[in-house]
Amino acid sequence: MNHRHYVLLAVLLFAATSCSPSPKSLAENHLQLLKSGNATKANQQYCLPSDTLRLYSVKSFQIISSQPKTSYNLPYTEVVANIETDQYRFKQVDKGGVTVSEKEVIKQVALDIWKSDDLYQAIVVSEAKLNDMVQKLGTKTKNSPKQEREKVNKQHLCVFLSFEQFEDES
C-alpha cells in the first residue's frame, strides 16, 4: 500500500467514527431539539420511537454530569442535566398525618444514552427474567410479549428517559 491509500483509509476511519455522536453530545442535541420546539425530531432519538415524549418542554438546560453505568451487564451512559421547564410531577407530602399531592416542578433529568443493540439486549434479558419469575410463582399468565428489534431505534445511539422521573412520587 502506498501513502495515498493510508491517507484515504485514515480519512474513511475518521469519517466513520465522527459521524456517530458521543452520548453527551446526543443528550445535548436532544435537549436542544426540545428547547427549540422540535418534538418530532427529539422523539426520533428515543430508543423506542413509538413511545410518547416524557420530557417535552425545555426552556434552558445545563449538562452537569456524564458517567458510564451498566444494566443487565450492558453499558450505557447516564447524562444528567439541570433543566428549566413547565413540566411537573406530583409529590406526596405528609401534612399533619394526611398525605396530599403537591405539584413539583422538574428541575433535573437523567438521560440514559444506549447503543441501540445493547438496549435491545437489555429488553430481552429483562423480559426473560420477568417470564422466569412468573413461572416460578406459578401464575397462570401469558409470557410478556417479546419486543421486536424493529421497534428499537436503528441509530447507533438512542435516548431513554425512565418513567420514574416524570411519574408521581410516592
Side-chain angles (χ1 to χ4, degrees):
M1 243 187 213
N2 65 27
H3 179 69
R4 271 187 280 162
H5 287 111
Y6 285 114
V7 171
L8 180 60
L9 181 60
V11 168
L12 290 173
L13 283 173
F14 176 76
T17 57
S18 65
C19 291
S20 181
S22 71
K24 184 178 176 185
S25 67
L26 178 59
E28 287 174 345
N29 179 260
H30 185 75
L31 293 169
Q32 188 61 44
L33 286 170
L34 293 170
K35 183 180 173 186
S36 66
N38 199 335
T40 302
K41 279 195 177 180
N43 194 242
Q44 292 170 356
Q45 294 175 331
Y46 264 23
C47 291
L48 299 170
S50 61
D51 279 357
T52 303
L53 280 175
R54 291 181 198 93
L55 180 63
Y56 50 83
S57 166
V58 175
K59 294 178 182 178
S60 67
F61 67 90
Q62 179 183 13
I63 303 290
I64 59 170
S65 69
S66 175
Q67 45 183 263
K69 296 203 167 196
T70 60
S71 180
Y72 298 107
N73 292 322
L74 295 163
Y76 69 95
T77 301
E78 180 186 70
V79 179
V80 178
N82 288 333
I83 61 170
E84 184 181 344
T85 181
D86 294 330
Q87 281 184 251
Y88 59 88
R89 64 182 185 162
F90 286 99
K91 181 178 181 178
Q92 302 299 317
V93 179
D94 184 11
K95 298 239 178 173
V98 177
T99 303
V100 295
S101 294
E102 290 183 354
K103 282 184 180 181
E104 178 181 61
V105 174
I106 298 170
K107 296 179 181 174
Q108 193 173 81
V109 66
L111 297 92
D112 297 341
I113 309 300
W114 283 84
K115 289 182 181 174
S116 294
D117 289 339
D118 287 346
L119 178 83
Y120 176 70
Q121 289 304 314
I123 291 170
V124 169
V125 170
S126 172
E127 289 173 347
K129 286 184 179 198
L130 177 63
N131 289 334
D132 285 347
M133 187 185 327
V134 167
Q135 285 179 347
K136 286 178 185 174
L137 292 172
T139 309
K140 302 275 186 197
T141 60
K142 288 193 232 178
N143 286 348
S144 64
K146 295 204 183 308
Q147 182 70 43
E148 298 170 18
R149 177 61 181 103
E150 296 78 40
K151 292 183 180 178
V152 176
N153 197 318
K154 290 167 185 48
Q155 296 298 315
H156 177 67
L157 294 177
C158 60
V159 177
F160 181 81
L161 288 105
S162 67
F163 301 101
E164 294 83 18
Q165 299 178 82
F166 306 96
E167 292 179 344
D168 295 352
E169 185 179 88
S170 301

